[in-house]
Amino acid sequence: MGKHSDDTCEDGVVTTVNHVAVIDGSTSKTPQRVNSGMQNGRFAMQLVSDVISSLPAQTTMLQFCRIVTDAIDEAYNYYQQDPDIIQQHPERRLTCSAAVYSRYHREVWLVGDCQCIVGGKHYDNAKPEEAANAEKRSRYIKEHKLSVEEVRRHDEGRDQIINDIIASMHSQNKTYAVIDGTPIYIKGVKVIAVPVDSEVVLATDGYPFLCNTLAESEQRLSQLLVDDPLLINQFKATKAYMEGNSSFDDRSYVRFKA
């Protein structure tokens, strides 16, 4: 479900005989587009969805990382992107995260900032600077006594951290893993073994409180948006629940028996 509309949603879900995945396209930090008809995050999500939809059953995590990297890199070449600009400006890249279940290997791969529940235990893979940026935004809004109505119309707190977010993106695939067409930082990929007959939940970070059922996850999200619509208290985020939107972020959730 898109935070604004399904047409602009940068999240996706893929289910095949061999794989189940959720994909979270990164919110654009720049007006430049690789494909002029689409936001970079949505385009990245669609490219990775296509890869997973046709992924051979025995594909390993390392092979998956190479295949999706090549797919994004091919898109840069097709749309005639300057390699130097792509290298020097990570905010211009097609960027996404993914949580992928491999039925053959009985593993979940967290490549970037997604989350899962396996056998009742929660796992995530948050970006290193995310919490610090969210704290800085929260502090600015509180210190300047900005009203809920003001921030929901225009998030000045996010304005204060956008350069920090872009600066932290220079660590992509150096200190943390994402899918962006550059070689994935494998040490930043989490691999979770899935025991037989386990219940598995895969979700994007649009669910601040991931639960064992979709209904409970939605209820916790709905309550948060009522109690803390600016996301500066109960759950500190890098953006608010903006006026006219259905949530603060796009979201994807899938639950299955492995």
Side-chain angles (χ1 to χ4, degrees), residues 27-30 91 127 129-144 146 151 154-170 176 230-232 235-240 242 248:
T27 302
S28 295
K29 314 300 187 299
T30 170
E91 72 276 12
K127 288 175 281 194
E129 302 299 323
E130 190 85 357
N133 289 331
E135 179 63 40
K136 180 177 178 180
R137 173 181 166 272
S138 171
R139 189 167 58 249
Y140 178 89
I141 291 170
K142 291 175 181 178
E143 287 176 353
H144 290 78
L146 301 177
V151 177
H154 179 85
D155 190 347
E156 288 185 27
R158 185 168 176 83
D159 293 344
Q160 296 301 309
I161 64 169
I162 191 66
N163 288 334
D164 299 303
I165 292 173
I166 292 173
S168 70
M169 293 177 74
H170 286 273
Y176 68 92
L230 305 188
L231 288 96
I232 58 174
F235 180 84
K236 295 177 182 177
T238 57
K239 51 195 169 187
M242 301 302 290
F248 76 102

Side-chain angles (χ1 to χ4, degrees), residues 111-131:
V111 188
D113 190 6
C114 284
Q115 55 184 331
C116 67
I117 297 173
V118 177
K121 184 175 179 180
H122 179 260
Y123 301 85
D124 63 12
N125 199 16
K127 288 175 281 194
E129 302 299 323
E130 190 85 357

Side-chain angles (χ1 to χ4, degrees), residues 117 201 203 206-223 251 253:
I117 297 173
V201 174
Y207 287 101
F209 309 111
L210 187 61
C211 304
N212 290 319
T213 67
L214 176 59
E216 187 178 358
S217 300
E218 286 282 336
Q219 192 279 326
R220 292 289 302 276
L221 172 61
S222 296
Q223 192 62 52
R251 60 195 191 272
Y253 182 111

Side-chain angles (χ1 to χ4, degrees), residues 61-86:
M61 180 272 286
L62 289 174
Q63 289 170 333
F64 168 74
C65 288
R66 286 195 292 269
I67 292 167
V68 288
T69 296
D70 289 346
I72 299 289
D73 190 46
E74 285 173 12
Y76 294 146
N77 291 332
Y78 181 84
Y79 288 95
Q80 299 179 326
Q81 298 298 297
D82 185 326
D84 291 335
I85 290 177
I86 292 298

Side-chain angles (χ1 to χ4, degrees), residues 8-62:
T8 59
C9 184
E10 295 170 321
D11 275 15
V13 176
V14 180
T15 60
T16 72
V17 171
N18 299 309
H19 298 92
V20 181
V22 296
I23 303 149
D24 184 356
S26 179
T27 302
S28 295
K29 314 300 187 299
T30 170
Q32 283 85 14
R33 301 285 182 262
V34 171
N35 175 351
S36 60
M38 199 180 306
Q39 294 165 304
N40 284 349
R42 183 169 173 82
F43 189 30
M45 176 273 290
Q46 291 189 349
L47 288 170
V48 173
S49 294
D50 290 344
V51 168
I52 296 170
S53 295
S54 59
L55 209 58
Q58 297 184 28
T59 303
T60 65
M61 180 272 286
L62 289 174

